[in-house]
Amino acid sequence: MLTVETRHAIDPNTAKGLDTTELREHFHISGLFVEGEIRLTYTHYDRMIVGGAVPGSGELVLDHVAECGTASVLDRREMAVLNVGDTGTVAAGGESYSMNRGDVLYLGMGSGPVTFSGPGRFYILSAPAHATYPSRLVTIAEAASFRTGAPETANDRTIYQFVHPEVMESCQLVVGYTQFHGGSVWNTMPAHLHDRRMEAYLYFDLDPANRVFHFMGRPDETRHLVMQNEEAVVSPPWSIHCGAGTGSYTFCWAMAGDNVDYRDVEMVGMEELR
């Protein structure tokens, strides 16, 4: 079963006037992982698709998505798949990939239908592509990584880069995830902006009793969204994106836009936040 929801882009002045319910309707994505279903959110922010697939005891095939305007979803797109569940299998382009928890699979443009099977919980990200790059399974051992932050500022963390120029080539997708150490809970603080790229977060490995407070908005007009485990949020190019949890968690970050330069950001000083 395939379900697709469309999210239209809005400007920061409009976002200033939204209440909690309206903010969640525009930026918060829940219910991604339902057994026996593929659920996609098609956004008008750089045409990023955010979704989930849980095949359970059967197979799920992602092929025609009417919102893309092509016969098959990857005819003019690339895709990254993160497995946040048990070991499962993804097949595309005549190849089959066994994915352990934490692995990321890149599928190049023209890979054809995508088949999901096994007990995996597959997080799906897709953006338009202008060229075909080789499909590749990237394990956590193969990812680029670096440790940053400090316990004193509650942001001691390791950043893993999977679909990233230091690991492999893609058109515009840049995907990785961040894991925290020893009681640290703050992500992406100090905050930043990158007007040339949108971003999407998936919060996972979060205890059901805990929450992440995700901060968004212009630096002088901040808002927040309360996130549960395995929920996602869309971050427009004009918005900050950072958060703090009431317990440990991991978050997957994914970007699409004009370039794949991870460091192409405008830092926001703490004194600028309101």
Side-chain angles (χ1 to χ4, degrees):
M1 178 180 176
L2 172 65
T3 303
V4 185
E5 178 187 357
T6 297
R7 299 285 181 93
H8 294 281
I10 62 172
D11 64 275
N13 287 330
T14 300
K16 284 168 55 175
L18 301 182
D19 63 19
T20 299
T21 299
E22 291 167 327
L23 281 173
R24 293 176 74 84
E25 288 174 350
H26 279 282
F27 303 109
H28 175 262
I29 303 174
S30 63
L32 279 170
F33 301 99
V34 178
E35 186 168 333
E37 296 187 26
I38 299 174
R39 294 191 171 187
L40 305 179
T41 297
Y42 180 97
T43 83
H44 283 248
Y45 298 103
D46 291 299
R47 304 288 169 168
M48 172 78 88
I49 291 176
V50 177
V54 185
S57 59
E59 286 188 346
L60 293 172
V61 179
L62 179 57
D63 190 7
H64 177 65
V65 176
E67 287 75 6
C68 297
T70 54
S72 190
V73 63
L74 293 182
D75 284 353
R76 293 182 59 82
R77 284 178 163 269
E78 59 186 353
M79 179 179 290
V81 179
L82 164 65
N83 185 12
V84 298
D86 294 331
T87 300
T89 301
V90 178
E95 299 289 336
S96 182
Y97 305 88
S98 178
M99 296 186 65
N100 295 319
R101 181 179 178 86
D103 289 349
V104 175
L105 172 65
Y106 173 81
L107 296 173
M109 183 177 70
S111 295
V114 184
T115 301
F116 303 91
S117 60
R121 297 168 70 82
F122 301 104
Y123 180 53
I124 299 167
L125 298 152
S126 178
H130 63 271
T132 297
Y133 292 107
S135 297
R136 177 181 172 185
L137 176 65
V138 184
T139 67
I140 192 168
E142 296 168 322
S145 65
F146 62 95
R147 191 162 179 168
T148 188
E152 293 79 11
T153 48
N155 66 349
D156 182 18
R157 64 204 189 275
T158 297
I159 298 175
Y160 295 93
Q161 301 164 330
F162 290 81
V163 183
H164 187 279
E166 294 186 22
V167 179
M168 56 168 290
E169 197 166 12
S170 66
C171 290
Q172 61 169 321
L173 274 177
V174 180
V175 181
Y177 54 78
T178 300
Q179 294 180 330
F180 294 90
H181 303 287
S184 287
V185 295
W186 269 105
N187 74 69
T188 327
M189 182 62 76
H192 61 253
L193 301 167
H194 35 70
D195 196 55
R196 288 158 292 282
R197 292 171 295 166
M198 63 80 67
E199 190 158 5
Y201 276 17
L202 173 74
Y203 290 101
F204 64 105
D205 289 343
L206 178 68
D207 187 277
N210 288 329
R211 297 291 184 268
V212 173
F213 289 74
H214 177 88
F215 295 95
M216 60 163 294
R218 296 291 299 169
D220 60 347
E221 286 282 352
T222 60
R223 301 290 187 271
H224 74 270
L225 298 168
V226 180
M227 311 292 297
Q228 299 183 48
N229 186 47
E230 294 187 348
E231 292 186 334
V233 60
V234 177
S235 180
W238 48 261
S239 175
I240 64 168
H241 38 276
C242 57
T246 62
S248 63
Y249 61 97
T250 303
F251 73 97
C252 174
W253 41 266
M255 294 175 280
D258 274 339
N259 61 50
V260 293
D261 183 358
Y262 185 79
R263 296 172 177 82
D264 179 18
V265 301
E266 295 83 46
M267 299 304 297
V268 176
M270 297 296 283
E271 69 279 2
E272 299 179 59
L273 296 175
R274 295 290 186 270

